Amino acid sequence: MGLADLTSMNDLVSLCKQRGFIFQSSEIYGGFGGCWDFGPLGVELKLNVKNSWWKAMTFREDVVGVDASILMHPTVWKASGHVDGFSDPLVDCKSCKERFRTDQINLSAPCPKCGAKGQFTESRDFNLMFKTQVGPVENTASIAYLRPETAQGIFVNFLNVQSSMRKKLPFGIAQIGKAFRNEITPGNFIFRTREFEQMEMQYFIKPGEQKEAMEMWKTARWNWHLENGLRGEKLRWAPHPPDKLAHYADAAVDIEYEFPIGWGEMEGIHSRTDFDLKAHQQFSGKNQQYVDQVDGNKKYIPYVIETSVGCDRHILALLCDAYRVENAGNPETERTVLMLRPSIAPIKVAMMPLMKKAELEDVAQKLFQDIQKKYRAEYDTAGSIGKRYRRQDEIGTPYCVTVDYDSLKDQAVTVRDRDSMTQERVGMDKLVQYLQDHLKL
Ligand code: ATP
C-alpha cells in the first residue's frame, strides 16, 4: 500500500477536465490563452475556498468586508502607480515575432522558438492592465481599465467604511473578486492566468505598529493554508530582499507552495506603509486622514498591512496536494484519490443504491433527500459499485453510502470512508448524525 504524490501537472489537468472541475475557456474554439472555466465541481470547490477565507478573515471584530466594482475611475490607477509602473520588460524575436519577457530569456542565445540568432528587438515595457472604453464615445477620456488587483477598491473606500461602520484603528477590510492581468506568459494550468480571483485584506494601523501587525497576519495566514489541508512541508516563507521590494512596501514576504513545477508564490503579505492612501489623497484632493480619538484627536494617514492570496492559485495548491495515486502499477488496486478536507471537498456524500431497482431506489432517494438538507450530496446509480467508488475517490468525496438488499431487512446502510476504504454498517435513522460526527462541518 503506497501513496504517491502528483508528479505531472498534466495528470491533474486531465482529471479536472474529465471530472468537471476545470475546463479550458472557449474550448470548442480552440481555447483562449490564460483563461479557464470552473465546471460544476470546480465552482463548489471554489465556493468552499472563498467561504473558508471569508470566515477566517471576517468572523472577527476587527475586519469587515466590501465588494467593490471592477471598473473604477481611471485616475485610481494613476495614483496606485499601475499606469506608469505595472509592466514587464519585453523583447520580440525579429524573425518569428514571438514575444519573450526580457528577464526570462538569454538575449545572447538563439531564439528559443525559431533558433534565429541575434534577432531580438530592444527591450520595451509592456503594461499588464487591460484597457477598455466606457460609454458610447471612443476617446481618451473614456478609457477605463479592468482592475489588476482588488486592493484599490478597498483603499478608495477606506473612509466610507471607517465612518459608516464606526471603526477604530486597527481594523481591516476584506474583499474577494476578479482581477485581470495581460500576462505575457500565462501557463502552468491555473497558476498564472489572465483573469483570476484574489482574496485580499487591507489592515489599517497606526504608523509604527506595522511589525506587530505583520507578525499577527503572517501567523494567521500560514495557519489558514494548513487548516485547508496543505501539508506544512510543502509550504515555505519567501521574504522579499530589501532591494527587490515593490515601490509601496517597507517589508514583504510570500508564502510559497511546492507545486510539481517547483516552488511558487501563493500569497503575499505586504507592509504597504501609507503609500496608497497618501497617493489617493494627492490625486483626488480628498483628505484621507484618520482622526485618532484615543490619541488626543491626532490626525494621520494610517499604515497598511495587506494579505493577498490568489483564490485560483490556492485551489491549484489544494488540488496538487490532495492528488494521490494509491498502489500505482497494480491494475487490481490502483486508484487515484483527491484527499481533500471535507470542508473543501465539492461533494460531501455520495448516495448509491447497489442496483437500479425500485425497492432500493425508494430507500436511497429518501435518505438522499435527508442528507441534502445539510450537505452537498450526489445521487449516483451509473455503472458498477466499484466504478462509482473510483469516481467519488477522484472527486474527493469523503463518504459513500450504499443501500443494498440487506438494508431492506436491517434498516442499515454501508458507509465507506474515502481514505481508508473501510466500510461501516450504520442504521438509517442514525445516518445523518453519523455523517455529521465524521464530516465535522
Ligand atoms: P507573480 O510574481 O506570480 O506574478 P505577483 O507578485 O505579481 O505574482 P501579487 O500582485 O502580489 O502577485 O498578487 C497576489 C496574489 O495574486 C499572488 O500571490 C497570486 O496568488 C495571485 N496572482 C497574481 N497574479 C496572478 C495570475 N496571473 N494568475 C493567478 N493568480 C495570480
Side-chain angles (χ1 to χ4, degrees), residues 185-204:
T185 45
N188 291 321
F189 197 21
I190 54 169
F191 181 85
R192 187 176 304 285
T193 54
R194 295 196 167 114
E195 174 175 341
F196 54 99
E197 275 187 275
Q198 287 186 315
M199 305 189 288
E200 295 197 299
M201 191 270 323
Q202 269 67 39
Y203 197 67
F204 299 92

Side-chain angles (χ1 to χ4, degrees), residues 1-7 11 14-15 18-19 323-339 386-394 416 418-419 421:
M1 281 266 290
L3 278 181
D5 279 3
L6 177 73
T7 49
D11 292 345
S14 80
L15 180 140
Q18 228 180 339
R19 296 304 188 197
Y323 187 108
R324 305 290 159 79
V325 180
E326 192 167 23
N327 298 336
N330 182 337
E332 313 258 288
T333 57
E334 179 177 319
R335 64 171 187 143
T336 301
V337 201
L338 279 191
M339 291 190 170
K387 281 219 173 96
R388 281 182 269 167
Y389 280 152
R390 291 290 174 269
R391 176 172 180 278
Q392 295 301 334
D393 287 344
E394 286 192 15
R416 173 188 179 268
R418 176 195 68 198
D419 298 348
M421 291 195 283

Side-chain angles (χ1 to χ4, degrees), residues 57-66 154 157-174 201-206 288-294 298 300 302:
M57 301 304 279
T58 72
F59 283 25
R60 40 187 293 157
E61 226 182 327
D62 57 350
V63 181
V64 290
V66 294
I154 289 179
N157 278 303
F158 164 67
L159 283 179
N160 280 337
V161 173
Q162 189 267 323
S163 60
S164 61
M165 302 307 287
R166 298 163 301 145
K167 283 289 175 201
K168 300 224 171 0
L169 295 191
F171 78 93
I173 306 178
M201 191 270 323
Q202 269 67 39
Y203 197 67
F204 299 92
I205 54 173
K206 193 172 175 175
Q288 296 297 305
Q289 285 176 320
Y290 170 78
V291 183
D292 194 337
Q293 292 166 353
V294 182
K298 214 193 252 174
Y300 53 82

Side-chain angles (χ1 to χ4, degrees), residues 181 183 191-193 196 198 265-267 308 310 313:
R181 296 182 187 180
E183 298 279 1
F191 181 85
R192 187 176 304 285
T193 54
F196 54 99
Q198 287 186 315
E265 171 185 338
M266 192 167 44
E267 168 148 15
S308 173
R313 261 202 213 166

Side-chain angles (χ1 to χ4, degrees), residues 183-234:
E183 298 279 1
I184 297 132
T185 45
N188 291 321
F189 197 21
I190 54 169
F191 181 85
R192 187 176 304 285
T193 54
R194 295 196 167 114
E195 174 175 341
F196 54 99
E197 275 187 275
Q198 287 186 315
M199 305 189 288
E200 295 197 299
M201 191 270 323
Q202 269 67 39
Y203 197 67
F204 299 92
I205 54 173
K206 193 172 175 175
E209 292 180 356
Q210 56 268 42
K211 280 214 169 68
E212 236 181 319
M214 181 109 176
E215 285 312 308
M216 174 179 81
W217 284 109
K218 274 172 66 181
T219 307
R221 298 306 307 143
W222 180 272
N223 289 341
W224 181 78
H225 291 283
L226 296 181
E227 277 155 26
N228 278 356
L230 296 181
R231 283 170 284 178
E233 67 266 27
K234 295 256 176 196

